[in-house]
Amino acid sequence: MTEATRAAIDDIIDAFRCGDHARLADRYDDDIEWQLHAPISVFPFAGIRRGKNAVLASLLGVYRDFQIAGYDIALIMVDGDRAATISDVRVIQRSTGRVIVSHLASFHRFRDGKLIEYRGFSDTFDTAGQALGRELDDWVPQERSISPWMPKPDRG
Amino acid sequence: MPLQPTELASQNTAQTRTALANLLGAFTGGDRERLAACYDDDVDWLFLAPASVFPFAGTRRGKAEVFRGFEVLFQSYRITEYYVEAMLVDGDWASTYSVGQMLQLATQRTIRIRTGNFYRFRDGKVAEYRGFTDSLDIVEQVLGRELDF
């Protein structure tokens, strides 16, 4: 099963890089449950999606808002019907031209060679700040920003 | 007869699975001494979240620095629930998708957190760690309000 999972995750990564929507659709189970842990107020395509059509609509939202400029896999792991990856993502926000870089952790589960479950994480405090073009630390009360053993971050 | 590459990989995976089970047992059991024994002295550790809110987050190098971060965590929070929803092991690497709750001691707020964790083991000890969470959501829970940006 592990080798079939490895082939499936390799194919999904390649299809995503190529923007091959049809191939991605073919790899998604009709009953897929997909969740990108990120604020939908900043990233409308995030949150929970159930079913292939809802997930593909969400992915179209990604492509609508961002141009994928880089998607490099830093780590890929496969175990039985599951795969996990860390990817270095670089996108260009179409409305502003801002370049946003992030590390994305992804957890996949496959059934009969098709993706049935997905969970994605990134450091959303950082990525939301990049998307908004603001330093979100400015929204954090100062008394919470001081730790007894770490210097206050230098914001230049 | 020497082990073949596939046998070596399989052996590594089995050792990693044992090491991960030991690590998770020490963490969920709150056994700090056993937990410390699970980490390599020269561990390369990174939890991706703002250090301005979470003093234990960011990059830590070496076991002593990692555990100073844990001490800061345990001074401010008590972990009330932690379970692993998914687990993978592949060679020297292990990964977990975990769900937990922490009590913020200063406010008695319950913080709900999901994390993606990646560990590389060397000789049965954690030599590398990368941790992910929806950090903006956690910041808002810690502050007790949504950020108005």
Side-chain angles (χ1 to χ4, degrees):
Chain A
M1 179 180 286
T2 293
E3 287 314 306
T5 301
R6 200 177 299 279
I9 188 67
D10 285 348
D11 193 40
I12 281 182
I13 290 167
D14 187 57
F16 183 77
R17 276 192 183 128
C18 299
D20 188 339
H21 213 58
R23 187 149 54 110
L24 277 177
D26 196 45
R27 277 292 184 183
Y28 291 157
D29 192 282
D30 288 342
D31 296 323
I32 183 172
E33 185 181 303
W34 185 96
Q35 185 171 17
L36 180 62
H37 294 281
I40 56 174
S41 58
V42 182
F43 304 106
F45 47 82
I48 300 175
R49 300 286 183 275
R50 289 191 174 87
K52 183 192 288 197
N53 289 340
V55 174
L56 291 174
S58 180
L59 282 178
L60 285 176
V62 175
Y63 295 133
R64 183 192 62 228
D65 294 348
F66 297 99
Q67 178 194 334
I68 312 295
Y71 189 79
D72 298 319
I73 301 297
L75 175 68
I76 184 164
M77 298 173 53
V78 177
D79 186 1
D81 61 352
R82 292 187 180 273
T85 59
I86 298 177
S87 42
D88 299 327
V89 183
R90 186 167 172 271
V91 298
I92 299 169
Q93 192 175 39
R94 293 187 191 278
S95 60
T96 64
R98 284 188 197 115
V99 175
I100 298 167
V101 293
S102 69
H103 302 290
L104 177 68
S106 299
F107 293 82
H108 313 75
R109 184 167 65 84
F110 292 88
R111 183 172 69 188
D112 300 329
K114 292 181 186 285
L115 187 62
I116 184 73
E117 185 183 302
Y118 172 83
R119 302 282 184 267
F121 288 102
S122 73
D123 181 359
T124 47
F125 188 83
D126 178 62
T127 48
Q130 292 182 62
L132 296 167
R134 300 177 200 166
E135 177 59 72
L136 295 191
D137 268 334
D138 293 342
W139 269 258
V140 176
Q142 286 303 297
E143 68 269 21
R144 292 188 187 278
S145 70
I146 308 296
S147 120
W149 59 280
M150 222 169 67
K152 188 178 175 186
D154 180 6
R155 295 180 194 153
Chain B
M1 185 177 163
L3 290 172
Q4 298 302 301
T6 52
E7 293 174 311
L8 278 172
S10 173
Q11 190 179 63
N12 279 354
T13 295
Q15 288 168 350
T16 301
R17 211 176 290 280
T18 301
L20 177 66
N22 189 37
L23 174 73
L24 294 175
F27 183 74
T28 54
D31 187 339
R32 295 188 200 182
E33 198 171 315
R34 186 175 152 207
L35 189 63
C38 294
Y39 282 82
D40 190 280
D41 287 342
D42 197 31
V43 59
D44 172 4
W45 192 95
L46 171 62
F47 189 77
L48 288 153
S52 56
V53 178
F54 305 105
F56 50 86
T59 302
R60 301 280 173 268
R61 190 65 196 237
K63 184 194 293 197
E65 205 172 293
V66 169
F67 277 77
R68 276 200 295 274
F70 285 168
E71 286 303 319
V72 173
L73 169 66
F74 294 135
Q75 281 167 16
S76 306
Y77 300 93
R78 181 158 57 83
I79 296 170
T80 54
E81 188 176 311
Y82 186 87
Y83 64 92
V84 174
E85 205 169 280
M87 182 189 302
L88 295 87
V89 177
D90 188 354
D92 296 336
W93 282 93
S95 179
T96 62
Y97 174 83
S98 303
V99 181
Q101 285 190 8
M102 305 184 298
L103 182 68
Q104 190 180 32
L105 299 176
T107 64
Q108 296 296 298
R109 276 189 208 112
T110 295
I111 312 295
R112 291 174 177 80
I113 184 167
R114 290 172 185 271
T115 57
N117 307 287
F118 295 81
Y119 310 88
R120 183 172 61 79
F121 288 87
R122 181 171 57 209
D123 299 328
K125 295 176 188 287
V126 179
E128 196 172 336
Y129 168 79
R130 297 291 180 267
F132 296 80
T133 192
D134 181 354
S135 53
L136 180 56
D137 175 59
I138 307 304
V139 166
E140 289 180 333
Q141 290 188 61
V142 166
L143 298 178
R145 62 181 171 82
E146 291 187 6
L147 294 184
D148 183 22
F149 36 73

